Amino acid sequence: MAARPLSLHERFSLARSNIGHPPHIAVLASFTAAPTHSQLAARVAALQARYPLVCARLAGARTRTPALVPGPPWVASEVVSDVSDADAGAATMTEDERAGRVLEYALARAHEARNAATASRETADAPLWTVLVVRPEAPEHPAAHPAKTYVVSIIHHVVADGVGALRLLSALIAPAIALDDDAASAFPPDAFDVPTLDSTMSLKPGARTLVPASFAHLIVPRLPAFARAYFAPPTWPTASVVGIEDAPGRVLVISIGRAAVAGLKEAGRKAGVATLHPTLEAAATVAVRSVLVSDTDADAAAGPGPALKVSTPISERDPALGHGWATANYVSASTSTYALADVPRAAGAATVDAAAAAAIWALARRIVYTLASPSARRAARESVGMLAYIPDAERPAEPQPEATSDERAPTGWEAYLLARLAAPQPFGASLEVSNLGHARVHGADAVCWAQPSMAPGPPVSFNVVGHERGLSVSVTFREGACVTTEQAREVGQVFKNVVEALARA
């Protein structure tokens, strides 16, 4: 079987891994009655045959032509690990706190294992997909509130996107009968050589994307400060960031109950917002603006303060184009910029006044329009195509800044990422809201997911998934890189208050 070249997005994920910040996706399901270790081990073996990219190896990881190559299935002990909730530091917490801590622990373990493989240059020696089971250690939990067992599927972004990662967890937990008949299965198999997004869809940037991007990156930085502010108004965060690479990743989890979700859907229909995502994105934007952004930011000396730039990943996965069902990456990213005047503040109280509610619904309607706009969808795809314009020398020929002249930069892609991390303002957006839709995981009490926050992405991300009991939202950030844990908790509380207040209206 031939090697499978990486798509632009997949190579970008590999470059992030090469510089020591692997982009893993962790999807968690909580259970009162969890699958046994032997059940999970048997299913891991079956899924490696069904989705062969999950046991692929990286070849040429430090070259300009990296690829995934077929590899023998990993044995279960190399993929599935069991730990106690005490080992994960999640023994005596609320359910949301435990879920957040388990996700944080799972991502940290995967990060350490991948970095060890990268440092040894033996990138084929570590699985790209692993499963962590966190079981309750203390037997004294009352019967009315038994401690949950968590099953976490962790996959490297070079192999799958968020939608694929969620589907892989669903297949991991599904009853055996659900996988029996490939033709009728709800879990269709994928070939190793599933096509890339680049080979099935036009991502090439047009002039409307290339010209502004070139102007912003090549011309604007050379202008005087007053002219830079005119041509490229600042977006939050504007303060310089130091030590982002050493800032620990954090995960907080927020649960929204089924009744509130139903109320929010009904309120949205009345307000002209037919689906949940625009309302959730508006609430997240309001929460970040309320807690983290001042009207007169210290580095935005005059005017209305920095704008908010919001990124929204969009799934482009399409079976009609031969795309994989659970593996490979088929995602683009839509971005929108909002003046602070268009984003109301919300207090920490559990109510939202009529004026603020009207402004939030107006923002949600703008998001509906943007996400449905053909031009915005085209721009989202072209944003992935822009990756092709990253300078791509095998090794930088010219003397490089200290931040990029190290062994972590085998090609221009890694050099670009390291230069971004060393920049005073390394973030490409203010926040991201990524929504995987509704999860169906057999027997699970709840589902949640997270991915590490790291520039050039935003400093804070909201990762959303629905399930039978409502919604779970993880907030990911790096401690001290524009956001502290205390601030993130406040952001999460404002988000929850806004959602539940709109649902009651």
Side-chain angles (χ1 to χ4, degrees), residues 202-247:
S202 175
L203 305 178
K204 186 175 181 179
R208 289 185 179 182
T209 298
L210 273 177
V211 172
S214 300
F215 183 76
H217 285 87
L218 300 177
I219 306 300
V220 170
R222 301 171 185 268
L223 297 176
F226 74 90
R228 286 200 303 272
Y230 177 80
F231 285 107
T235 57
W236 183 87
T238 56
S240 295
V241 179
V242 178
I244 185 172
E245 291 200 74
D246 298 321

Side-chain angles (χ1 to χ4, degrees), residues 34 69 94 142 173 191 194 202 206 238 249 269 309 313-314 322 325 333 360 378 382 414 476 479 488:
V69 296
T94 67
I173 305 299
V194 288
S202 175
T238 56
R269 281 191 287 269
K309 186 175 182 180
I314 298 173
W325 184 80
I360 294 168
R378 184 170 59 252
E382 291 178 357
E414 290 84 7
T476 55
E479 177 70 47

Side-chain angles (χ1 to χ4, degrees), residues 109 161 317 324 356 372 423 460:
R109 274 176 59 113
D161 56 27
R317 195 177 289 265
V460 59

Side-chain angles (χ1 to χ4, degrees), residues 133-499:
V133 184
V134 180
R135 301 187 188 276
E137 182 177 73
E140 63 271 11
H141 286 276
H145 300 284
K148 308 291 186 184
T149 293
Y150 299 98
V151 177
V152 191
S153 175
I154 310 108
I155 195 157
H156 198 296
H157 217 326
V158 77
V159 172
D161 56 27
V163 169
L166 177 58
R167 290 177 173 181
L168 191 63
L169 175 70
S170 298
L172 178 70
I173 305 299
I177 192 172
L179 297 170
D180 283 348
D181 181 356
D182 286 352
S185 175
F187 305 95
D190 288 346
F192 178 85
D193 58 350
V194 288
T196 63
L197 180 64
D198 317 28
S199 67
T200 57
M201 188 175 288
S202 175
L203 305 178
K204 186 175 181 179
R208 289 185 179 182
T209 298
L210 273 177
V211 172
S214 300
F215 183 76
H217 285 87
L218 300 177
I219 306 300
V220 170
R222 301 171 185 268
L223 297 176
F226 74 90
R228 286 200 303 272
Y230 177 80
F231 285 107
T235 57
W236 183 87
T238 56
S240 295
V241 179
V242 178
I244 185 172
E245 291 200 74
D246 298 321
R250 297 286 183 247
V251 182
L252 302 178
V253 170
I254 306 156
S255 292
I256 306 294
R258 185 187 304 165
V261 172
L264 194 63
K265 287 179 179 177
E266 180 60 27
R269 281 191 287 269
K270 292 177 181 176
V273 182
T275 59
L276 274 177
H277 178 87
T279 309
L280 298 173
E281 185 170 315
T285 306
V286 167
V288 168
R289 186 261 192 275
S290 299
V291 177
L292 299 175
V293 188
S294 65
D295 287 325
T296 53
D297 185 272
D299 291 331
L308 284 170
K309 186 175 182 180
V310 184
S311 175
T312 310
I314 298 173
S315 178
E316 305 284 359
R317 195 177 289 265
D318 185 352
L321 298 176
H323 293 169
W325 184 80
T327 51
N329 283 267
Y330 305 102
V331 65
S332 61
S334 175
T335 57
S336 300
T337 302
Y338 304 107
L340 293 190
D342 296 330
V343 183
R345 283 190 179 278
T351 58
V352 173
D353 64 40
I360 294 168
W361 286 121
L363 179 59
R365 286 190 292 270
R366 283 181 65 179
I367 295 168
V368 171
Y369 175 81
T370 298
L371 295 180
S373 162
S375 61
R377 292 299 295 267
R378 184 170 59 252
R381 293 166 184 158
E382 291 178 357
S383 71
V384 179
M386 285 295 295
L387 294 174
Y389 293 86
I390 295 175
D392 195 18
E394 193 77 38
R395 277 188 176 275
E398 300 297 325
Q400 297 294 302
E402 183 178 345
T404 63
S405 58
D406 62 34
E407 286 298 304
R408 295 186 296 167
T411 77
W413 285 48
E414 290 84 7
Y416 165 80
L417 285 172
L418 288 168
R420 285 295 300 266
L421 289 178
Q425 285 112 25
F427 300 107
S430 308
L431 68 147
E432 178 179 282
V433 184
S434 186
N435 189 342
L436 300 187
H438 189 83
R440 291 173 177 81
V441 179
H442 179 74
D445 297 324
V447 179
C448 191
W449 76 287
Q451 53 189 333
S453 172
M454 176 51 78
V460 59
S461 297
F462 293 74
N463 308 290
V464 182
V465 66
H467 48 80
E468 294 307 311
R469 294 173 58 183
L471 280 173
S472 292
V473 182
S474 77
V475 179
T476 55
F477 59 100
R478 304 194 81 82
E479 177 70 47
C482 297
V483 187
T484 65
T485 296
E486 220 31 62
Q487 288 174 319
R489 287 198 181 103
E490 190 177 352
V491 167
Q493 189 60 56
V494 171
F495 171 82
K496 185 179 176 78
N497 288 349
V498 168
V499 167

